[in-house]
Amino acid sequence: MSDPKDPWLLTPGPLTTSTTVKQSMLRDWGSRDQEFIAINARMRARLVELLHGEGSFVTVPMQGSGTFAVEAMLGSFVPKTGKLLILINGAYGKRMAKICDYYGRAYGVIEVAEDKPIEPAAVAKALAADPAITHVTVVHCETTSGVLNPVAEIAAAVAADGRRLLVDAMSAFGAIPLDAREIAFDAVAASSNKCIEGVPGLGVVICREAALAQCKGNAPSLSLDLYDQWQVLEKTQQYRFTPPIHCIVAFETALAEHAAEGGVAGRGARYRNNCRLLVEGMRALGFQTLLPDRLQAPIIVTFHMPADPKFVFQTFYDRLRDRGFVIYPGKLTVADSFRIGCIGRLGEAEMRGAIDAVRAVMAELGVGSGAPRQPLAAIA
Ligand SMILES: *Cc1c(COP(=O)(O)O)cnc(C)c1O
């Protein structure tokens, strides 16, 4: 059994990181240190490579969690006179609307249920109906449920109508391909702490340079002004304000480990295997996934709450934690549910260990099956 004091995090961030990523933080660097400047430059260049955006994209790092990067992206790319169409199928899409409320930016929404992907045809229709829309934003993998949105098809609809696309790829970046040579977008927000498996503390926005160059004066926030952050970084190689140095150094180590695993393809393959083991193991115990397999991204899986009244989620959660596995409560309005992540420095042994722990805790609780109440669709 793993050490309950240092559990496996089956959560979509913060997540389990490698020992070597953690060890790379056992030093102090000055922010003007040449070694740190070189690390930061390599980190920025590598992120552009992961999108195949060499020559036309630049990485603008942003101190803070992933939301800081999303907020910086929206505030800096959508001009004061612009209008954003927000595609919502979960909490992270809703958060973007909240950011626009704070900033007083005009926006419209297309909102569908959390267990449904965004339909590209609906996007095309909304754009045709509203010429004021300048930008569209979509979440690549909606971490609320784990649903994968069809970014390529949405990007094609946006480009066909001459509008610009901004992507929150936070929970997918580094494990699910997103290729700037094939998909048209102006910016992608990601962070140090999801599929790249760094420690939390740095958001990044990978920006089409020609589009970013037109963003001067857009941002309503000094700290979150991507244009200014970019300009100062390019001119001085320095951050405007204190960078999370240890986090950036660990991020570079995490990027090297990501490359050694085979980059996006290798990382994605491990996560798909984790997801498969998790879903098969849970189904064998009677649990049902919220999403059909064709909509499920290999990032986080939502399970229906079991019908058995002896199943008390908090007790289930605490006992799994005692056995060294941290899972995630549900955050959905469509179904009573909980979530288990597939990402982080976890492989076959940890996923099998998690299933064994779930089986043992169910036995302790006297829960015979994880089967939910009959879903409505099955009754109809
Ligand atoms: C994790 C995540 C974010 C950012 O969350 P933070 O808690 O601010 O790091 C944004 N969007 C999506 C889709 C995410 O999964």
Side-chain angles (χ1 to χ4, degrees):
M1 193 189 292
S2 50
D3 181 353
K5 286 196 240 38
D6 198 4
W8 299 106
L9 302 180
L10 283 82
T11 55
L15 40 68
T16 298
T17 59
S18 70
T19 304
T20 35
V21 162
K22 288 185 272 277
Q23 280 168 342
S24 59
M25 295 186 289
L26 297 175
R27 271 191 57 194
D28 298 313
W29 292 261
S31 61
R32 286 163 200 280
D33 182 322
Q34 280 308 320
E35 201 186 334
F36 171 69
I37 287 173
I39 287 171
N40 191 59
R42 285 198 298 271
M43 176 273 286
R44 291 180 62 208
R46 180 63 187 150
L47 292 172
V48 169
E49 286 171 17
L50 292 181
L51 282 181
H52 304 286
E54 295 96 322
S56 50
F57 280 76
V58 290
T59 301
V60 186
M62 183 54 71
Q63 297 97 322
S65 82
T67 303
F68 290 61
V70 173
E71 184 163 336
M73 175 174 77
L74 300 185
S76 303
F77 274 88
V78 183
K80 294 184 178 72
T81 54
K83 181 172 181 183
L84 182 66
L85 176 65
I86 307 173
L87 309 180
I88 302 178
N89 55 344
Y92 293 100
K94 285 189 186 138
R95 189 176 293 173
M96 295 203 275
K98 203 167 179 182
I99 290 168
C100 289
D101 288 335
Y102 267 77
Y103 281 1
R105 285 287 189 272
Y107 68 93
V109 304
I110 292 178
E111 185 162 0
V112 301
E114 292 149 333
D115 55 349
K116 299 279 181 295
I118 302 289
E119 294 288 345
V123 178
K125 202 170 147 210
L127 293 179
D130 188 352
I133 293 166
T134 53
H135 293 73
V136 178
T137 188
V138 67
V139 179
H140 193 178
C141 167
E142 223 330 328
T143 324
T144 308
S145 67
V147 67
L148 193 63
N149 280 315
V151 168
E153 291 80 0
I154 290 167
V158 172
D161 218 327
R163 322 295 170 98
R164 320 299 304 182
L165 183 66
L166 309 172
V167 183
D168 171 358
M170 204 66 59
S171 61
F173 186 82
I176 299 176
L178 191 60
D179 190 329
R181 297 167 305 185
E182 293 165 3
I183 300 177
F185 47 76
D186 277 353
V188 169
S191 82
S192 54
N193 181 236
K194 291 206 171 163
C195 302
I196 306 290
E197 301 182 356
V199 303
L202 190 74
V204 293
V205 187
I206 307 152
C207 308
R208 183 180 297 283
E209 190 168 349
L212 181 61
Q214 292 169 15
C215 293
K216 187 175 182 178
N218 283 352
S221 156
L222 168 67
S223 304
L224 299 179
D225 185 344
L226 279 186
Y227 179 87
D228 197 44
Q229 180 93 327
W230 173 52
Q231 286 293 302
V232 173
L233 261 174
E234 294 292 337
K235 287 190 187 113
T236 68
Q237 299 191 298
Q238 297 293 317
Y239 285 75
R240 296 174 300 162
F241 315 124
T242 307
I245 290 192
H246 299 77
C247 168
I248 292 168
V249 173
F251 193 26
E252 208 228 357
T253 305
L255 281 164
E257 293 178 2
H258 178 265
E261 193 175 355
V264 175
R267 183 66 45 100
R270 174 159 59 85
Y271 290 172
R272 279 193 297 280
N273 195 47
N274 285 351
C275 184
R276 182 184 60 78
L277 291 167
L278 174 67
V279 168
E280 283 174 9
M282 292 293 280
R283 283 183 180 152
L285 296 172
F287 289 93
Q288 280 180 24
T289 60
L290 175 79
L291 298 175
D293 293 348
R294 70 189 161 81
L295 298 179
Q296 177 70 60
I299 304 297
I300 188 164
V301 182
T302 303
F303 295 97
H304 286 282
M305 213 56 100
D308 191 324
K310 292 200 284 303
F311 185 93
V312 178
F313 179 73
Q314 191 59 47
T315 313
F316 179 69
Y317 176 96
D318 291 342
R319 300 258 180 111
L320 284 178
R321 169 67 179 77
D322 292 343
R323 287 171 178 272
F325 296 93
V326 174
I327 64 167
Y328 224 48
K331 211 185 196 179
L332 270 70
T333 52
V334 293
D336 193 13
S337 60
F338 64 92
R339 295 174 290 172
I340 303 184
C342 314
I343 65 179
R345 186 65 28 185
L346 309 165
E348 200 154 326
E350 290 73 33
M351 299 321 279
R352 291 193 194 283
I355 296 295
D356 288 345
V358 168
R359 188 185 303 107
V361 171
M362 284 170 71
E364 281 173 22
L365 299 179
V367 175
S369 164
R373 272 175 214 93
Q374 231 13 1
L376 291 176
I379 296 167

